[in-house]
Each structure stands twice: as structure tokens, then as C-alpha cells.
Amino acid sequence: MTRSAGLALAVALGATLSAGLSPAQAATARTTVAAEHVKVYELVTKDGGFFYTSSESEKNTAITKHGWSTTQTPLYYISRSPFPGGKPLFRLRWEKKASYLVTASVDERERLVSSGKFRYDGILGYAPGSARAGGDVKVFRLSNNGRWRLAIAAHTEKILANEPGWKLDGPLLYQFSR
């Protein structure tokens, strides 16, 4: 471990212990601090669907090869790898057109894939399952006639108020603000 990484972990441990966290909670905080956080990007497909990626190269390929465009939707960070309290985000592609759905539910993923209407596209990344697991930005999923979006709370309200046809599916998980 490098000296700066060791110092960062020591500072995180000290902060969690002084905050009165249990040893298990402190371990979660240390792991979360050490996890690599990556930006989540939202793109619009040529079919008008939404696509999510945490890979810079996948984003660039979608833009240059497929002609998709990034949106200004405010999204934050997830982890590339599992961590205590984190949940996988599964990306599914709707078979009718290039429209993607993100879920944290294994049951929903299996049900949709079994229906033959969706194809499992892999794990987008790992997100905090709760604020306690390190998440400080709540993310919601919305739907509108074969299109699915992710949005933070403030943006969810704007979409519902200003873009007809969208409905709230409910909370998904959390994201990291940094």
C-alpha cells in the first residue's frame, strides 16, 4: 500500500471511529473510501431510448460508432467493484429498440429476461444500497412507453413536471457525490 493510500485509510478510519461507528461500519467506510468511483453517463440512442454506462470508452464508442448523444442529466458516481453494502446495477436492453433499463433487483432482471422482451447486458457497476453504505445521492427510475431513465431526486421532479408521459417507477439505489 502506498503511503498516501495508507494515510487516506487511516484518516477515514479515524473519522469513522470518532463518529461512533461500529467496527463493521468502519470497515464498510474504509472499503467505500478505497473503492474506485466512476462517473455514470446517460446517452440518448437514435431510437430515443436511454443508455447508461460508467465506461468512458463505451461512452465514446456509442457516440462515434452509433451516433448517440450524451445528455445533461445530472448523475454522479458508482463503484466498478463490489463493496460492503453495495448492490449491482444490472443493465438490460429492450429487444424492440435501443432502449435500456437499469435495475438493482435480481428478480426483476430474471423476470424481464425470461419474458424474451429484454436481453441482459451486464453489470453497470455497484451502487450503495443505502445512505449508510456510503450513498449520499438517491437515484430514481422513471418510465415512459418503452423508455427508462435514471434521475436524482431534484431532476426527477423536473422530468415529472415538465416532460409529459413519464411516470415514477420508484427509488433505485444511491450514488456517491464524489
Side-chain angles (χ1 to χ4, degrees), residues 121-153:
D121 206 42
I123 294 177
L124 175 63
Y126 298 84
S130 66
R132 186 176 213 147
D136 49 359
V137 180
K138 197 166 198 170
V139 178
F140 296 86
R141 188 176 74 198
L142 299 100
S143 59
N144 181 353
N145 196 28
R147 298 182 304 156
W148 298 269
R149 293 185 80 172
L150 302 181
I152 62 172

PDB file of all heavy atoms in Angstrom, residues 121-153:
ATOM      1  N   ASP A 121     -27.586  -7.229 -20.329  1.00  0.00           N
ATOM      2  CA  ASP A 121     -26.455  -6.551 -20.949  1.00  0.00           C
ATOM      3  C   ASP A 121     -25.258  -6.433 -20.008  1.00  0.00           C
ATOM      4  O   ASP A 121     -24.253  -5.840 -20.372  1.00  0.00           O
ATOM      5  CB  ASP A 121     -26.920  -5.166 -21.415  1.00  0.00           C
ATOM      6  CG  ASP A 121     -26.119  -4.611 -22.557  1.00  0.00           C
ATOM      7  OD1 ASP A 121     -25.793  -5.369 -23.484  1.00  0.00           O
ATOM      8  OD2 ASP A 121     -25.813  -3.400 -22.521  1.00  0.00           O
ATOM      9  N   GLY A 122     -25.376  -6.943 -18.782  1.00  0.00           N
ATOM     10  CA  GLY A 122     -24.253  -6.925 -17.855  1.00  0.00           C
ATOM     11  C   GLY A 122     -24.470  -6.005 -16.669  1.00  0.00           C
ATOM     12  O   GLY A 122     -25.523  -5.401 -16.497  1.00  0.00           O
ATOM     13  N   ILE A 123     -23.425  -5.918 -15.851  1.00  0.00           N
ATOM     14  CA  ILE A 123     -23.465  -5.079 -14.651  1.00  0.00           C
ATOM     15  C   ILE A 123     -22.887  -3.710 -14.987  1.00  0.00           C
ATOM     16  O   ILE A 123     -21.762  -3.605 -15.476  1.00  0.00           O
ATOM     17  CB  ILE A 123     -22.701  -5.741 -13.487  1.00  0.00           C
ATOM     18  CG1 ILE A 123     -23.432  -7.016 -13.060  1.00  0.00           C
ATOM     19  CG2 ILE A 123     -22.562  -4.778 -12.308  1.00  0.00           C
ATOM     20  CD1 ILE A 123     -22.738  -7.803 -11.970  1.00  0.00           C
ATOM     21  N   LEU A 124     -23.684  -2.678 -14.745  1.00  0.00           N
ATOM     22  CA  LEU A 124     -23.267  -1.296 -14.971  1.00  0.00           C
ATOM     23  C   LEU A 124     -22.199  -0.903 -13.954  1.00  0.00           C
ATOM     24  O   LEU A 124     -21.256  -0.175 -14.265  1.00  0.00           O
ATOM     25  CB  LEU A 124     -24.500  -0.391 -14.861  1.00  0.00           C
ATOM     26  CG  LEU A 124     -24.304   1.101 -14.955  1.00  0.00           C
ATOM     27  CD1 LEU A 124     -23.763   1.487 -16.321  1.00  0.00           C
ATOM     28  CD2 LEU A 124     -25.627   1.812 -14.698  1.00  0.00           C
ATOM     29  N   GLY A 125     -22.344  -1.376 -12.741  1.00  0.00           N
ATOM     30  CA  GLY A 125     -21.426  -1.067 -11.647  1.00  0.00           C
ATOM     31  C   GLY A 125     -22.122  -1.417 -10.349  1.00  0.00           C
ATOM     32  O   GLY A 125     -23.141  -2.117 -10.344  1.00  0.00           O
ATOM     33  N   TYR A 126     -21.589  -0.920  -9.253  1.00  0.00           N
ATOM     34  CA  TYR A 126     -22.131  -1.213  -7.926  1.00  0.00           C
ATOM     35  C   TYR A 126     -22.451   0.101  -7.232  1.00  0.00           C
ATOM     36  O   TYR A 126     -21.643   1.021  -7.226  1.00  0.00           O
ATOM     37  CB  TYR A 126     -21.133  -2.027  -7.102  1.00  0.00           C
ATOM     38  CG  TYR A 126     -20.856  -3.359  -7.757  1.00  0.00           C
ATOM     39  CD1 TYR A 126     -19.905  -3.477  -8.769  1.00  0.00           C
ATOM     40  CD2 TYR A 126     -21.586  -4.489  -7.407  1.00  0.00           C
ATOM     41  CE1 TYR A 126     -19.673  -4.695  -9.399  1.00  0.00           C
ATOM     42  CE2 TYR A 126     -21.366  -5.703  -8.031  1.00  0.00           C
ATOM     43  CZ  TYR A 126     -20.413  -5.794  -9.028  1.00  0.00           C
ATOM     44  OH  TYR A 126     -20.196  -6.998  -9.653  1.00  0.00           O
ATOM     45  N   ALA A 127     -23.653   0.150  -6.652  1.00  0.00           N
ATOM     46  CA  ALA A 127     -24.121   1.370  -6.011  1.00  0.00           C
ATOM     47  C   ALA A 127     -24.466   1.088  -4.558  1.00  0.00           C
ATOM     48  O   ALA A 127     -24.857  -0.032  -4.215  1.00  0.00           O
ATOM     49  CB  ALA A 127     -25.356   1.891  -6.746  1.00  0.00           C
ATOM     50  N   PRO A 128     -24.346   2.104  -3.707  1.00  0.00           N
ATOM     51  CA  PRO A 128     -24.733   1.918  -2.315  1.00  0.00           C
ATOM     52  C   PRO A 128     -26.214   1.561  -2.207  1.00  0.00           C
ATOM     53  O   PRO A 128     -27.055   2.200  -2.832  1.00  0.00           O
ATOM     54  CB  PRO A 128     -24.457   3.283  -1.678  1.00  0.00           C
ATOM     55  CG  PRO A 128     -23.483   3.949  -2.598  1.00  0.00           C
ATOM     56  CD  PRO A 128     -23.810   3.441  -3.967  1.00  0.00           C
ATOM     57  N   GLY A 129     -26.507   0.540  -1.437  1.00  0.00           N
ATOM     58  CA  GLY A 129     -27.887   0.130  -1.231  1.00  0.00           C
ATOM     59  C   GLY A 129     -28.626   1.030  -0.257  1.00  0.00           C
ATOM     60  O   GLY A 129     -29.836   0.979  -0.152  1.00  0.00           O
ATOM     61  N   SER A 130     -27.879   1.883   0.440  1.00  0.00           N
ATOM     62  CA  SER A 130     -28.477   2.782   1.422  1.00  0.00           C
ATOM     63  C   SER A 130     -27.525   3.941   1.668  1.00  0.00           C
ATOM     64  O   SER A 130     -26.360   3.903   1.264  1.00  0.00           O
ATOM     65  CB  SER A 130     -28.716   2.043   2.741  1.00  0.00           C
ATOM     66  OG  SER A 130     -27.466   1.690   3.315  1.00  0.00           O
ATOM     67  N   ALA A 131     -28.024   4.944   2.365  1.00  0.00           N
ATOM     68  CA  ALA A 131     -27.161   6.055   2.755  1.00  0.00           C
ATOM     69  C   ALA A 131     -26.073   5.546   3.694  1.00  0.00           C
ATOM     70  O   ALA A 131     -24.930   5.996   3.647  1.00  0.00           O
ATOM     71  CB  ALA A 131     -27.987   7.158   3.422  1.00  0.00           C
ATOM     72  N   ARG A 132     -26.417   4.579   4.525  1.00  0.00           N
ATOM     73  CA  ARG A 132     -25.463   4.006   5.482  1.00  0.00           C
ATOM     74  C   ARG A 132     -24.273   3.333   4.768  1.00  0.00           C
ATOM     75  O   ARG A 132     -23.177   3.264   5.301  1.00  0.00           O
ATOM     76  CB  ARG A 132     -26.187   3.009   6.370  1.00  0.00           C
ATOM     77  CG  ARG A 132     -25.346   2.474   7.458  1.00  0.00           C
ATOM     78  CD  ARG A 132     -26.147   1.558   8.353  1.00  0.00           C
ATOM     79  NE  ARG A 132     -25.611   1.725   9.681  1.00  0.00           N
ATOM     80  CZ  ARG A 132     -26.287   1.658  10.778  1.00  0.00           C
ATOM     81  NH1 ARG A 132     -27.569   1.427  10.749  1.00  0.00           N
ATOM     82  NH2 ARG A 132     -25.700   1.809  11.933  1.00  0.00           N
ATOM     83  N   ALA A 133     -24.512   2.828   3.545  1.00  0.00           N
ATOM     84  CA  ALA A 133     -23.448   2.165   2.776  1.00  0.00           C
ATOM     85  C   ALA A 133     -22.591   3.175   2.010  1.00  0.00           C
ATOM     86  O   ALA A 133     -21.754   2.787   1.202  1.00  0.00           O
ATOM     87  CB  ALA A 133     -24.058   1.157   1.802  1.00  0.00           C
ATOM     88  N   GLY A 134     -22.797   4.450   2.268  1.00  0.00           N
ATOM     89  CA  GLY A 134     -21.959   5.467   1.646  1.00  0.00           C
ATOM     90  C   GLY A 134     -22.660   6.304   0.600  1.00  0.00           C
ATOM     91  O   GLY A 134     -22.089   7.243   0.072  1.00  0.00           O
ATOM     92  N   GLY A 135     -23.888   5.975   0.286  1.00  0.00           N
ATOM     93  CA  GLY A 135     -24.604   6.729  -0.736  1.00  0.00           C
ATOM     94  C   GLY A 135     -25.139   8.039  -0.196  1.00  0.00           C
ATOM     95  O   GLY A 135     -25.727   8.081   0.867  1.00  0.00           O
ATOM     96  N   ASP A 136     -24.915   9.109  -0.933  1.00  0.00           N
ATOM     97  CA  ASP A 136     -25.438  10.390  -0.486  1.00  0.00           C
ATOM     98  C   ASP A 136     -26.342  11.047  -1.525  1.00  0.00           C
ATOM     99  O   ASP A 136     -26.825  12.147  -1.311  1.00  0.00           O
ATOM    100  CB  ASP A 136     -24.317  11.332  -0.037  1.00  0.00           C
ATOM    101  CG  ASP A 136     -23.176  11.441  -1.031  1.00  0.00           C
ATOM    102  OD1 ASP A 136     -23.211  10.787  -2.078  1.00  0.00           O
ATOM    103  OD2 ASP A 136     -22.240  12.207  -0.760  1.00  0.00           O
ATOM    104  N   VAL A 137     -26.582  10.355  -2.650  1.00  0.00           N
ATOM    105  CA  VAL A 137     -27.461  10.876  -3.692  1.00  0.00           C
ATOM    106  C   VAL A 137     -28.454   9.774  -4.069  1.00  0.00           C
ATOM    107  O   VAL A 137     -28.063   8.752  -4.631  1.00  0.00           O
ATOM    108  CB  VAL A 137     -26.656  11.306  -4.950  1.00  0.00           C
ATOM    109  CG1 VAL A 137     -27.591  11.833  -6.015  1.00  0.00           C
ATOM    110  CG2 VAL A 137     -25.590  12.332  -4.591  1.00  0.00           C
ATOM    111  N   LYS A 138     -29.729   9.969  -3.763  1.00  0.00           N
ATOM    112  CA  LYS A 138     -30.749   8.970  -4.075  1.00  0.00           C
ATOM    113  C   LYS A 138     -31.094   9.048  -5.561  1.00  0.00           C
ATOM    114  O   LYS A 138     -31.257  10.130  -6.113  1.00  0.00           O
ATOM    115  CB  LYS A 138     -31.998   9.183  -3.230  1.00  0.00           C
ATOM    116  CG  LYS A 138     -32.907   7.987  -3.209  1.00  0.00           C
ATOM    117  CD  LYS A 138     -33.946   8.103  -2.118  1.00  0.00           C
ATOM    118  CE  LYS A 138     -34.523   6.737  -1.850  1.00  0.00           C
ATOM    119  NZ  LYS A 138     -35.357   6.731  -0.669  1.00  0.00           N
ATOM    120  N   VAL A 139     -31.194   7.872  -6.196  1.00  0.00           N
ATOM    121  CA  VAL A 139     -31.483   7.785  -7.625  1.00  0.00           C
ATOM    122  C   VAL A 139     -32.814   7.061  -7.829  1.00  0.00           C
ATOM    123  O   VAL A 139     -33.082   6.049  -7.178  1.00  0.00           O
ATOM    124  CB  VAL A 139     -30.354   7.032  -8.370  1.00  0.00           C
ATOM    125  CG1 VAL A 139     -30.662   6.883  -9.844  1.00  0.00           C
ATOM    126  CG2 VAL A 139     -29.026   7.757  -8.171  1.00  0.00           C
ATOM    127  N   PHE A 140     -33.616   7.593  -8.740  1.00  0.00           N
ATOM    128  CA  PHE A 140     -34.921   7.033  -9.060  1.00  0.00           C
ATOM    129  C   PHE A 140     -34.938   6.545 -10.503  1.00  0.00           C
ATOM    130  O   PHE A 140     -34.146   7.004 -11.330  1.00  0.00           O
ATOM    131  CB  PHE A 140     -36.008   8.101  -8.889  1.00  0.00           C
ATOM    132  CG  PHE A 140     -36.148   8.567  -7.474  1.00  0.00           C
ATOM    133  CD1 PHE A 140     -35.336   9.583  -6.985  1.00  0.00           C
ATOM    134  CD2 PHE A 140     -37.066   7.990  -6.627  1.00  0.00           C
ATOM    135  CE1 PHE A 140     -35.448  10.008  -5.674  1.00  0.00           C
ATOM    136  CE2 PHE A 140     -37.182   8.410  -5.304  1.00  0.00           C
ATOM    137  CZ  PHE A 140     -36.379   9.423  -4.835  1.00  0.00           C
ATOM    138  N   ARG A 141     -35.873   5.631 -10.791  1.00  0.00           N
ATOM    139  CA  ARG A 141     -36.087   5.201 -12.176  1.00  0.00           C
ATOM    140  C   ARG A 141     -37.464   5.669 -12.615  1.00  0.00           C
ATOM    141  O   ARG A 141     -38.423   5.587 -11.854  1.00  0.00           O
ATOM    142  CB  ARG A 141     -35.984   3.686 -12.314  1.00  0.00           C
ATOM    143  CG  ARG A 141     -36.005   3.250 -13.791  1.00  0.00           C
ATOM    144  CD  ARG A 141     -35.816   1.764 -13.963  1.00  0.00           C
ATOM    145  NE  ARG A 141     -37.039   1.071 -13.578  1.00  0.00           N
ATOM    146  CZ  ARG A 141     -37.095  -0.218 -13.280  1.00  0.00           C
ATOM    147  NH1 ARG A 141     -36.016  -0.971 -13.292  1.00  0.00           N
ATOM    148  NH2 ARG A 141     -38.239  -0.783 -12.939  1.00  0.00           N
ATOM    149  N   LEU A 142     -37.526   6.168 -13.844  1.00  0.00           N
ATOM    150  CA  LEU A 142     -38.777   6.605 -14.441  1.00  0.00           C
ATOM    151  C   LEU A 142     -38.992   5.825 -15.723  1.00  0.00           C
ATOM    152  O   LEU A 142     -38.029   5.316 -16.314  1.00  0.00           O
ATOM    153  CB  LEU A 142     -38.719   8.106 -14.772  1.00  0.00           C
ATOM    154  CG  LEU A 142     -38.493   9.033 -13.580  1.00  0.00           C
ATOM    155  CD1 LEU A 142     -37.044   9.445 -13.518  1.00  0.00           C
ATOM    156  CD2 LEU A 142     -39.364  10.247 -13.701  1.00  0.00           C
ATOM    157  N   SER A 143     -40.247   5.746 -16.188  1.00  0.00           N
ATOM    158  CA  SER A 143     -40.532   5.047 -17.440  1.00  0.00           C
ATOM    159  C   SER A 143     -41.551   5.835 -18.255  1.00  0.00           C
ATOM    160  O   SER A 143     -42.349   6.602 -17.710  1.00  0.00           O
ATOM    161  CB  SER A 143     -41.031   3.630 -17.175  1.00  0.00           C
ATOM    162  OG  SER A 143     -42.204   3.657 -16.396  1.00  0.00           O
ATOM    163  N   ASN A 144     -41.489   5.611 -19.572  1.00  0.00           N
ATOM    164  CA  ASN A 144     -42.392   6.287 -20.495  1.00  0.00           C
ATOM    165  C   ASN A 144     -42.445   5.495 -21.791  1.00  0.00           C
ATOM    166  O   ASN A 144     -41.580   5.657 -22.656  1.00  0.00           O
ATOM    167  CB  ASN A 144     -41.925   7.722 -20.757  1.00  0.00           C
ATOM    168  CG  ASN A 144     -42.844   8.484 -21.691  1.00  0.00           C
ATOM    169  OD1 ASN A 144     -43.776   7.926 -22.267  1.00  0.00           O
ATOM    170  ND2 ASN A 144     -42.572   9.763 -21.844  1.00  0.00           N
ATOM    171  N   ASN A 145     -43.408   4.587 -21.919  1.00  0.00           N
ATOM    172  CA  ASN A 145     -43.675   3.903 -23.177  1.00  0.00           C
ATOM    173  C   ASN A 145     -42.424   3.290 -23.831  1.00  0.00           C
ATOM    174  O   ASN A 145     -42.063   3.661 -24.942  1.00  0.00           O
ATOM    175  CB  ASN A 145     -44.369   4.882 -24.135  1.00  0.00           C
ATOM    176  CG  ASN A 145     -45.022   4.171 -25.294  1.00  0.00           C
ATOM    177  OD1 ASN A 145     -45.418   3.009 -25.175  1.00  0.00           O
ATOM    178  ND2 ASN A 145     -45.127   4.848 -26.411  1.00  0.00           N
ATOM    179  N   GLY A 146     -41.789   2.384 -23.132  1.00  0.00           N
ATOM    180  CA  GLY A 146     -40.617   1.710 -23.694  1.00  0.00           C
ATOM    181  C   GLY A 146     -39.317   2.481 -23.557  1.00  0.00           C
ATOM    182  O   GLY A 146     -38.332   2.182 -24.229  1.00  0.00           O
ATOM    183  N   ARG A 147     -39.318   3.455 -22.678  1.00  0.00           N
ATOM    184  CA  ARG A 147     -38.088   4.197 -22.365  1.00  0.00           C
ATOM    185  C   ARG A 147     -37.964   4.267 -20.848  1.00  0.00           C
ATOM    186  O   ARG A 147     -38.964   4.416 -20.151  1.00  0.00           O
ATOM    187  CB  ARG A 147     -38.123   5.611 -22.956  1.00  0.00           C
ATOM    188  CG  ARG A 147     -38.209   5.603 -24.455  1.00  0.00           C
ATOM    189  CD  ARG A 147     -38.194   6.994 -25.054  1.00  0.00           C
ATOM    190  NE  ARG A 147     -39.262   7.813 -24.494  1.00  0.00           N
ATOM    191  CZ  ARG A 147     -39.222   9.146 -24.475  1.00  0.00           C
ATOM    192  NH1 ARG A 147     -38.187   9.799 -24.948  1.00  0.00           N
ATOM    193  NH2 ARG A 147     -40.226   9.832 -23.968  1.00  0.00           N
ATOM    194  N   TRP A 148     -36.740   4.153 -20.371  1.00  0.00           N
ATOM    195  CA  TRP A 148     -36.477   4.171 -18.935  1.00  0.00           C
ATOM    196  C   TRP A 148     -35.344   5.135 -18.672  1.00  0.00           C
ATOM    197  O   TRP A 148     -34.369   5.198 -19.421  1.00  0.00           O
ATOM    198  CB  TRP A 148     -36.103   2.769 -18.438  1.00  0.00           C
ATOM    199  CG  TRP A 148     -37.225   1.811 -18.654  1.00  0.00           C
ATOM    200  CD1 TRP A 148     -38.242   1.512 -17.783  1.00  0.00           C
ATOM    201  CD2 TRP A 148     -37.482   1.041 -19.837  1.00  0.00           C
ATOM    202  NE1 TRP A 148     -39.097   0.607 -18.349  1.00  0.00           N
ATOM    203  CE2 TRP A 148     -38.667   0.301 -19.613  1.00  0.00           C
ATOM    204  CE3 TRP A 148     -36.856   0.908 -21.066  1.00  0.00           C
ATOM    205  CZ2 TRP A 148     -39.213  -0.560 -20.552  1.00  0.00           C
ATOM    206  CZ3 TRP A 148     -37.389   0.060 -22.017  1.00  0.00           C
ATOM    207  CH2 TRP A 148     -38.560  -0.667 -21.751  1.00  0.00           C
ATOM    208  N   ARG A 149     -35.481   5.888 -17.596  1.00  0.00           N
ATOM    209  CA  ARG A 149     -34.455   6.871 -17.234  1.00  0.00           C
ATOM    210  C   ARG A 149     -34.084   6.736 -15.772  1.00  0.00           C
ATOM    211  O   ARG A 149     -34.886   6.307 -14.948  1.00  0.00           O
ATOM    212  CB  ARG A 149     -34.987   8.292 -17.418  1.00  0.00           C
ATOM    213  CG  ARG A 149     -35.257   8.668 -18.834  1.00  0.00           C
ATOM    214  CD  ARG A 149     -35.656  10.098 -18.940  1.00  0.00           C
ATOM    215  NE  ARG A 149     -34.472  10.947 -18.887  1.00  0.00           N
ATOM    216  CZ  ARG A 149     -34.516  12.251 -19.106  1.00  0.00           C
ATOM    217  NH1 ARG A 149     -35.648  12.849 -19.363  1.00  0.00           N
ATOM    218  NH2 ARG A 149     -33.409  12.954 -19.057  1.00  0.00           N
ATOM    219  N   LEU A 150     -32.886   7.175 -15.467  1.00  0.00           N
ATOM    220  CA  LEU A 150     -32.423   7.318 -14.091  1.00  0.00           C
ATOM    221  C   LEU A 150     -32.318   8.806 -13.807  1.00  0.00           C
ATOM    222  O   LEU A 150     -31.939   9.581 -14.690  1.00  0.00           O
ATOM    223  CB  LEU A 150     -31.043   6.681 -13.902  1.00  0.00           C
ATOM    224  CG  LEU A 150     -30.914   5.205 -14.226  1.00  0.00           C
ATOM    225  CD1 LEU A 150     -29.492   4.744 -13.957  1.00  0.00           C
ATOM    226  CD2 LEU A 150     -31.909   4.369 -13.450  1.00  0.00           C
ATOM    227  N   ALA A 151     -32.650   9.206 -12.597  1.00  0.00           N
ATOM    228  CA  ALA A 151     -32.531  10.621 -12.241  1.00  0.00           C
ATOM    229  C   ALA A 151     -32.396  10.772 -10.734  1.00  0.00           C
ATOM    230  O   ALA A 151     -32.967   9.997  -9.969  1.00  0.00           O
ATOM    231  CB  ALA A 151     -33.753  11.394 -12.730  1.00  0.00           C
ATOM    232  N   ILE A 152     -31.642  11.786 -10.340  1.00  0.00           N
ATOM    233  CA  ILE A 152     -31.557  12.132  -8.927  1.00  0.00           C
ATOM    234  C   ILE A 152     -32.875  12.813  -8.541  1.00  0.00           C
ATOM    235  O   ILE A 152     -33.665  13.207  -9.411  1.00  0.00           O
ATOM    236  CB  ILE A 152     -30.335  13.029  -8.630  1.00  0.00           C
ATOM    237  CG1 ILE A 152     -30.430  14.352  -9.386  1.00  0.00           C
ATOM    238  CG2 ILE A 152     -29.038  12.291  -8.966  1.00  0.00           C
ATOM    239  CD1 ILE A 152     -29.367  15.377  -9.006  1.00  0.00           C
ATOM    240  N   ALA A 153     -33.131  12.974  -7.253  1.00  0.00           N
ATOM    241  CA  ALA A 153     -34.424  13.470  -6.769  1.00  0.00           C
ATOM    242  C   ALA A 153     -34.842  14.785  -7.424  1.00  0.00           C
ATOM    243  O   ALA A 153     -35.950  14.895  -7.958  1.00  0.00           O
ATOM    244  CB  ALA A 153     -34.394  13.610  -5.253  1.00  0.00           C
TER     245      ALA A 153
END
